[in-house]
Amino acid sequence: MNWSWPFFFDYLTNGLMLRGAWTTIWLSVVSMILGLGLGIVAALMKMYGNRAVRYLAEFYIWLFRGTPILIQLVIIYTGLPQLGIRLSVIESAILGLALNEGAYLAEIIRAGIMSVDKGQEDAARAVGMTWRERMYLVILPQATRTIIPPLGNQFNGMLKTTSLASVISMEELMRNAQMLAQIEFRVLEAYSVAAVWYLVLVSIWSAIQVRIEAHYEKPFGPAAAGALKGKKEGEQTLKKAGAA
Amino acid sequence: MEQQDLATQTERAPGARRLGEPIVVIDGVEKSFHGTPVLRNVSLTVRKREVVVICGRSGSGKSTLLRCIDQLETIDGGTIRAAGHLMGFRERHGKRVPLRDAQIARQQRDLGMVFQNFNLFPHVSVLDNVTMAPVRILKRDKAEAETEARALLQRVGLPDKENAYPRQLSGGQQQRVAIARALAMKPKVMLFDEPTSALDPEMISEVLDVMTDLSEQGMTMIVVTHEMGFARAAADRVVLMHDGQIVEEAPPEEFFQTPKSEHTRLFLSKILQH
């Protein structure tokens, strides 16, 4: 056996890996936020647009869900220059990941909006809200509750999907692990360290996700209210409600 | 229950309200859903400070009429004027042009609507339910709107519930918050769509009491309900709808004692039997 613990532990805190992990984090967050914006726009276009707008949204979703993200990234970075569009590695990675994510999120967001009770739209109209106000103040905040769990799942996936950006030489965890592996040919140790880092990031995200879900569940369930606002306060609210 | 019992059950203070000029004028309204007519040439005039109760069997079109007044449904024909607006349209050179969403929203702000299923916003507190529209739509000062909202919650008998979420309230309490939410926009007319139909029997009176108070304070109200006790106590006129048409329209005494339409007699015999 040729497994070396010293190399493993050395790589674990190696600057290259730490920088890679950091890149993976911000690349995931930025792509997710942009993807979320794209997803919301595409979902609203598909649900409320006229025929042309609807078809445009459907085409986007169909195209980016129907082709591998790997091909999308390669086309954006190495193919588009042929058409005179030159994007940097970072721009290409963010664009590819966001476009791909947006297509998936559009369907998740659409399902979330459809899950909101029809009476909410009536109530929002009845107090005189415009479409924009209904969406922003009433429908989307409630859709969020349904959207958050699958959204968290998507972000979990995003943390790992960013590794595909290594093929266009984006220096994130995977790419840096490759480089590290080639220095002393400690391939197994280097990639294991990368795997450990992904596990750490995903685990941290899971913990964050629980808190976000509790926040959005707060208006809807006593258990969640207690978990987030401190048990005492939650119980008081409940007692108050019970006393009436 | 006998009709006589109902009459003595609740007495209306005579002359408490003086009716003003017409504020809702419904004229020849037609509405179909997928080819099935729901409203057929419906005309009704409601005057300022008047309380009109609309009753009828389910499917008679009474809820649809209410939803058409508030532009939650678009009408196929006829006109509805309410609170000074030609609902859903504007007139230009004698022609009617359909309004866009934002313009309809502006008209809707002068009408308040209360729903059978309350439809409170479940993601925000009771206070925010009441202040959301004044603060976020009318851009009113938040502190000021909250002071007014607390006064409204006091008025509907829920002064200590402002921080609760809707799910923590009983049905009757939720409906009273819904009334406060509608009143926060200072509507000129209040529309009630079966406000007590989804409530447990013991909670019906707390909602009807609030509505009666409101009528005594001079609010113009159109109420779709099966609560004949409320009709007797608070209504100036009772309207019966049947098959998309208004078949009876009379003051409560006349409506209950000497109905003209066969449909009314049939309806009353069914609803007053138990």
Side-chain angles (χ1 to χ4, degrees), chain A residues 120 122 125 128 131 137 219, chain B residues 67 101 108-109 120 123 167:
Chain A
Q120 292 294 309
D122 282 346
R125 276 177 194 272
W131 182 83
L137 297 172
Chain B
R67 292 174 59 85
D101 179 76
Q108 286 167 324
R109 287 167 204 172
L120 290 181
H123 58 300
R167 66 163 175 94

Side-chain angles (χ1 to χ4, degrees), chain B residues 53 196-197 204 208 224-232 256 271:
Chain B
V53 163
T196 56
S197 296
I204 290 177
L208 292 181
V224 170
T225 187
H226 293 295
E227 294 297 329
M228 292 301 118
F230 174 79
R232 277 179 184 281
F256 290 107
I271 207 161

Side-chain angles (χ1 to χ4, degrees), chain B residues 10-274:
Chain B
T10 34
E11 282 302 327
R12 193 152 49 107
R17 284 172 283 125
R18 296 257 306 275
L19 303 188
E21 70 274 20
I23 190 164
V24 177
V25 180
I26 301 162
D27 186 21
V29 163
E30 306 273 345
K31 172 73 182 171
S32 305
F33 286 121
H34 310 293
T36 311
V38 194
L39 296 178
R40 297 185 296 161
N41 193 22
V42 173
S43 299
L44 180 71
T45 300
V46 178
R47 295 164 65 186
K48 217 169 178 175
R49 291 187 286 280
E50 191 174 17
V51 177
V52 173
V53 163
I54 303 176
C55 51
R57 296 200 318 222
S58 60
S60 60
K62 53 196 195 307
S63 283
T64 304
L65 179 62
L66 216 58
R67 292 174 59 85
C68 283
I69 297 172
D70 203 19
Q71 288 297 300
L72 298 178
E73 310 283 353
T74 52
I75 53 177
D76 302 333
T79 55
I80 297 175
R81 287 177 196 276
H85 305 292
L86 175 62
M87 297 304 291
F89 298 93
R90 69 196 158 100
E91 278 164 313
R92 205 167 60 179
H93 312 306
K95 276 176 120 182
R96 296 195 318 174
V97 185
L99 291 178
R100 279 204 299 262
D101 179 76
Q103 298 161 317
I104 290 174
R106 214 152 294 136
Q107 295 184 331
Q108 286 167 324
R109 287 167 204 172
D110 287 333
L111 306 179
M113 181 110 170
V114 173
F115 300 90
Q116 183 176 348
N117 296 317
F118 332 131
N119 294 341
L120 290 181
F121 304 131
H123 58 300
V124 296
S125 70
V126 163
L127 190 68
D128 288 345
N129 261 277
V130 181
T131 59
M132 186 189 281
V135 173
R136 307 300 293 268
I137 302 175
L138 301 181
K139 313 292 178 202
R140 299 256 326 273
D141 176 65
K142 194 171 180 204
E144 202 178 293
E146 284 183 352
T147 308
E148 273 180 38
R150 289 192 181 99
L152 283 171
L153 289 172
Q154 180 95 44
R155 194 165 154 191
V156 298
L158 295 168
D160 55 345
K161 288 280 176 276
E162 60 174 75
N163 293 319
Y165 284 106
R167 66 163 175 94
Q168 296 170 319
L169 305 182
S170 71
Q173 292 172 331
Q174 287 193 47
Q175 193 61 298
R176 287 184 281 153
V177 174
I179 294 172
R181 174 177 68 178
L183 291 175
M185 291 297 278
K186 300 187 169 65
K188 298 190 173 94
V189 178
M190 283 285 285
L191 310 170
F192 294 83
D193 187 5
E194 303 205 32
T196 56
S197 296
L199 296 177
D200 292 335
E202 73 269 20
M203 291 169 186
I204 290 177
S205 65
E206 66 187 52
V207 171
L208 292 181
D209 287 349
V210 169
M211 290 168 61
T212 308
D213 278 355
L214 208 53
S215 72
E216 280 163 5
Q217 285 157 25
M219 176 60 77
T220 309
M221 294 164 55
I222 305 178
V223 185
V224 170
T225 187
H226 293 295
E227 294 297 329
M228 292 301 118
F230 174 79
R232 277 179 184 281
D236 297 287
R237 253 187 311 155
V238 185
V239 168
L240 185 90
M241 286 191 73
H242 180 82
D243 224 358
Q245 288 179 309
I246 291 178
V247 293
E248 181 103 31
E249 191 183 334
E253 312 82 56
E254 208 177 308
F255 184 91
F256 290 107
Q257 310 296 343
T258 55
K260 288 187 214 70
S261 165
E262 186 54 42
H263 294 300
T264 314
R265 279 193 281 274
L266 201 65
F267 175 78
L268 288 175
S269 74
K270 280 188 176 155
I271 207 161
L272 295 178
Q273 255 164 15
H274 40 84

Side-chain angles (χ1 to χ4, degrees), chain A residues 4-241:
Chain A
S4 162
W5 283 110
F7 271 114
F8 176 80
F9 285 115
D10 181 46
Y11 286 174
L12 209 50
T13 54
N14 185 292
L16 207 54
M17 296 308 283
L18 293 180
R19 280 198 300 279
W22 172 241
T23 303
T24 292
I25 292 170
W26 72 251
L27 180 62
S28 299
V29 170
V30 170
S31 304
M32 195 69 188
I33 290 170
L34 291 176
L36 196 56
L38 277 170
I40 291 172
V41 170
L44 293 178
M45 281 168 71
K46 190 170 168 177
M47 293 183 79
Y48 299 98
N50 59 33
R51 186 178 294 199
V53 169
R54 218 163 59 228
Y55 283 171
L56 190 68
E58 275 169 15
F59 175 75
Y60 159 67
I61 294 167
W62 170 78
L63 185 67
F64 282 90
R65 290 209 311 172
T67 54
I69 172 82
L70 198 52
I71 293 184
Q72 292 163 17
L73 285 168
V74 171
I75 287 179
I76 289 169
Y77 183 61
T78 60
L80 288 187
Q82 221 170 306
L83 303 175
I85 304 168
R86 269 166 225 286
L87 298 175
S88 71
V89 172
I90 292 174
E91 286 164 350
S92 303
I94 290 174
L95 185 65
L97 290 167
L99 281 170
N100 186 263
E101 193 61 32
Y104 282 93
L105 291 181
E107 293 297 272
I108 290 172
I109 290 159
R110 194 168 68 93
I113 291 172
M114 287 196 301
S115 76
V116 178
D117 183 63
K118 183 71 184 62
Q120 292 294 309
E121 168 104 23
D122 282 346
R125 276 177 194 272
V127 291
M129 292 189 190
T130 61
W131 182 83
R132 211 182 267 259
E133 289 161 344
R134 295 199 294 275
M135 280 300 135
Y136 185 67
L137 297 172
V138 175
I139 307 295
L140 287 178
Q142 290 182 62
T144 306
R145 184 189 174 212
T146 319
I147 292 169
I148 289 287
L151 192 71
N153 204 33
Q154 286 296 116
F155 188 70
N156 176 311
M158 173 65 91
L159 283 166
K160 293 167 291 180
T161 305
T162 52
S163 63
L164 291 175
S166 62
V167 299
I168 58 169
S169 70
M170 180 77 193
E171 295 185 357
E172 39 64 70
L173 256 179
M174 179 65 188
R175 171 79 177 171
N176 287 7
Q178 284 170 348
M179 293 198 284
L180 200 59
Q182 279 159 16
I183 295 172
E184 284 151 310
F185 296 105
R186 285 284 169 183
V187 178
L188 185 57
E189 287 84 348
Y191 287 123
S192 298
V193 163
V196 166
W197 268 109
Y198 280 114
L199 277 170
V200 169
L201 296 184
V202 166
S203 303
I204 292 171
W205 169 245
S206 295
I208 295 171
Q209 194 187 339
V210 168
R211 294 188 71 85
I212 296 176
E213 278 179 28
H215 175 77
Y216 282 98
E217 280 298 317
K218 190 178 66 164
F220 299 94
L228 195 84
K229 286 185 76 185
K231 224 178 164 214
K232 229 174 173 183
E233 203 178 330
E235 274 168 4
Q236 272 172 355
T237 323
L238 267 184
K239 258 185 219 152
K240 254 192 197 169

